[in-house]
Amino acid sequence: MSILADARALAAQEPVCDACLGRAFADRSFGLTNAERGKSLRIAAALDDDEPYEPVDTAECWVCEGRCAEFDAWAERCAEAIEGVEFDTYQVGTRTPPLIEENEILLREGAGLPEDAGELFKSEFNREVGKRVGRLTETDVDFGRPDVQFTLDLEADVVNVDVHSAFVYGRYRKLERDIPQTEWPCNACQGSGYIGKQPCEKCDGTGYLYQDSVEGLTAPVVRDVMDGTDAKFHGAGREDVDARMLGTGRPFVIEVMEPRRRRIDVERLEGDINAFAEGRVEVEGLRLASYETVERVKKLDASKRYRAEVEFGSPIEADALADALDELEGATIEQYTPHRVDHRRASLTRTREVYETRGELDDETQATVEIHGAGGLYIKELISGDEGRTEPSLAQLLGVDAEVTALDVVGVYGEDEPFEDEAFFLDGDGSAAEEADSTDHDREE
């Protein structure tokens, strides 16, 4: 059959609106809306049959039940639902009433066409409402991870809005000891601050074992500036509670849930965080980032550089320390799960590389050593030997007891590539809005 014959067969099941008629031919020709296709075919058939052209009122269509006349109204409802929220990208989805889905199948069956001819009603609804949302809000469609997801529930007559999280990347330095990276709820009262009706003695009724954390000194500030409902801290590994994080700082991402503001001044935010932390923690290099940055920060292989103050059980010579450090440099270390973490880590032997070592004696029983090694290398045990669980160790090579009395992390580096990659930052070449594939929403404009 010809396209006009198919169009006649569809239109004969009247009343069928132009959009529902044209939707069966959505894969034919570009630059037209389905309504324009349907009207053109109806006119062409009238001309071919030398009969009067008779338009169909969309509101009377039995297939879409008049829904194809509501694109503007639904777009306006979307814009109203997100009023006061900053966003740059969006996506529209539609929950189609089962009756309309059934009507579409019946329409095509009645004309002898495949039930998947053209495109689905919800595809057209997504696109037509989506184009209008973009114009009303001056934003761009993004089929990956948009700032805002609209879901149109036609049967319930509701616009559901999901404001996706925003992400801020940076590096932090922890300048004081005994500050955990993330909030540490009290294990006695399970974070409630109370045991029964009495304040918990272990945490003084605060619900936390440590009153400060890197997360607590940074995430709330970002949440407030972006006017979000909550914020979560994601770090590239973590240092021990009693270790400082100095030098290059440790990469992190703060995720802000349901932000109302995205277009923030990150330099000003940096200053706000540092002022709030009052010298306990400081951040630098803040960038607005894509959601993929969380996985990158958590999974990118990283090496660490440590500086440790070490106390020896017996006096040692400077040459002996130098020889032992030389022997550790380039060595492959076997570490059975340390005693101090065996309650939360699987019992197994791990192998890690030592890349670089250096150090000097402060006096005959104390030294400062610096070690650069692969991620996951337990530095305290590399020094002490952990009762033979780590081999070789500095203590073993020197033949004396050795203990880390103070530890600082002074460098965190990507093993094969830097953590900072412009493709993951929204204010760089990797902007999600710039990468969005807007072909589908634009193809019929």
Side-chain angles (χ1 to χ4, degrees):
M1 294 178 69
S2 69
I3 188 172
L4 281 182
D6 289 339
R8 289 188 186 97
L10 291 167
Q13 304 173 69
E14 57 186 14
V16 179
C17 71
D18 290 340
C20 289
L21 176 61
R23 191 162 56 252
F25 307 100
D27 54 351
R28 303 290 291 267
S29 184
F30 291 94
L32 296 171
T33 65
N34 286 334
E36 289 169 340
R37 286 188 181 91
K39 183 176 181 180
S40 298
L41 287 168
R42 207 183 297 274
I43 291 173
L47 288 170
D48 190 48
D49 297 337
D50 193 18
E51 292 181 354
Y53 162 67
E54 296 181 3
V56 174
D57 185 352
T58 304
E60 297 178 0
C61 178
W62 68 271
V63 181
C64 69
E65 300 185 318
R67 295 293 191 179
C68 289
E70 299 176 358
F71 299 145
D72 289 326
W74 281 95
E76 289 168 3
R77 291 176 65 179
C78 289
E80 290 171 2
I82 205 71
E83 188 173 355
V85 176
E86 292 180 352
F87 67 104
D88 297 308
T89 59
Y90 69 93
Q91 187 177 3
V92 174
T94 302
R95 292 196 181 104
T96 307
L99 182 58
I100 292 180
E101 293 179 341
E102 183 179 337
N103 290 345
E104 286 211 282
I105 294 173
L106 291 174
L107 175 67
R108 286 160 176 73
E109 285 182 348
L113 297 177
E115 66 177 49
D116 61 349
E119 69 175 344
L120 297 175
F121 166 86
K122 70 177 180 180
S123 297
E124 177 177 18
F125 215 88
N126 292 345
R127 182 178 61 256
E128 292 301 327
V129 175
K131 288 190 297 186
R132 290 161 172 79
V133 169
R135 289 195 290 266
L136 288 172
T137 61
E138 298 182 342
T139 56
D140 298 311
V141 66
D142 179 359
F143 296 110
R145 175 80 176 188
D147 296 337
V148 172
Q149 171 73 53
F150 298 101
T151 302
L152 315 180
D153 191 329
L154 303 190
E155 193 163 39
D157 194 31
V158 171
V159 175
N160 295 307
V161 181
D162 183 8
V163 179
H164 289 159
S165 298
F167 304 87
V168 176
Y169 170 88
R171 284 178 177 256
Y172 75 83
R173 283 186 285 273
K174 189 178 78 177
L175 306 178
E176 293 183 4
R177 304 190 191 281
D178 297 321
I179 297 178
Q181 184 187 86
T182 54
E183 294 179 342
W184 197 324
C186 175
N187 55 8
C189 64
Q190 307 304 314
S192 69
Y194 288 86
I195 297 180
K197 295 183 178 180
Q198 300 299 317
C200 177
E201 294 183 2
K202 187 171 184 178
C203 65
D204 293 327
T206 65
Y208 295 97
L209 291 180
Y210 296 88
Q211 300 314 302
D212 289 326
S213 65
V214 177
E215 178 180 29
L217 294 170
T218 57
V221 180
V222 183
R223 179 200 63 209
D224 290 348
V225 168
M226 302 189 85
D227 196 8
T229 58
D230 200 358
K232 185 176 182 180
F233 189 97
H234 306 277
R238 62 177 67 214
E239 64 284 340
D240 291 342
V241 172
D242 60 354
R244 294 182 298 182
M245 179 66 242
L246 306 175
T248 66
R250 185 181 296 275
F252 70 92
V253 175
I254 291 176
E255 176 183 358
V256 179
M257 288 69 169
E258 301 182 64
R260 295 181 65 82
R261 297 187 59 212
R262 292 178 186 268
R263 302 161 192 149
I264 63 171
D265 183 336
V266 289
E267 291 185 4
R268 182 173 179 178
L269 174 61
E270 192 172 298
D272 290 343
I273 293 173
N274 291 339
F276 179 73
E278 296 182 324
R280 290 163 288 182
V281 169
E282 62 183 18
V283 299
E284 66 178 10
L286 298 190
R287 304 281 295 274
L288 295 173
S290 65
Y291 81 102
E292 295 96 343
T293 313
V294 172
E295 183 175 9
R296 179 176 179 82
V297 161
K298 285 183 169 294
K299 294 189 175 180
L300 189 68
D301 290 336
S303 65
K304 318 286 172 55
R305 185 179 295 275
Y306 298 86
R307 184 171 60 234
E309 295 178 14
V310 181
E311 184 172 336
F312 301 106
S314 304
I316 64 169
E317 299 290 336
D319 289 345
L321 175 63
D323 290 343
L325 290 174
D326 284 345
E327 193 162 344
L328 285 178
E329 186 165 319
T332 298
I333 310 299
E334 292 189 354
Q335 295 189 305
Y336 190 72
T337 304
H339 284 299
R340 64 187 172 93
V341 298
D342 61 8
H343 62 288
R344 64 177 189 272
R345 297 287 174 87
S347 296
L348 52 84
T349 298
R350 300 170 176 85
T351 59
R352 296 291 187 270
E353 302 296 320
V354 175
Y355 300 147
E356 182 184 2
T357 63
R358 61 189 178 199
E360 59 182 24
L361 284 175
D362 300 323
D363 58 43
E364 61 183 7
T365 61
Q366 297 184 82
T368 299
V369 301
E370 194 166 296
I371 297 171
H372 180 201
L377 177 66
Y378 292 108
I379 295 300
K380 291 177 180 178
E381 287 69 28
L382 179 66
I383 301 298
S384 71
D386 195 27
E387 299 178 359
R389 289 180 171 227
T390 291
E391 292 185 349
S393 67
L394 186 61
Q396 177 191 44
L397 294 172
L398 288 170
V400 299
D401 290 339
E403 180 184 1
V404 173
T405 57
L407 182 66
D408 296 326
V409 186
V410 295
V412 178
Y413 322 100
E415 285 274 19
D416 302 316
E417 57 181 304
F419 279 91
E420 291 77 11
D421 184 330
E422 291 298 318
F424 292 85
F425 299 134
L426 300 189
D427 51 353
D429 293 337
S431 171
E434 293 174 11
E435 290 185 345
D437 178 6
S438 59
T439 304
D440 190 43
H441 274 195
D442 292 341
R443 72 184 181 91
E444 295 192 351
E445 288 188 313

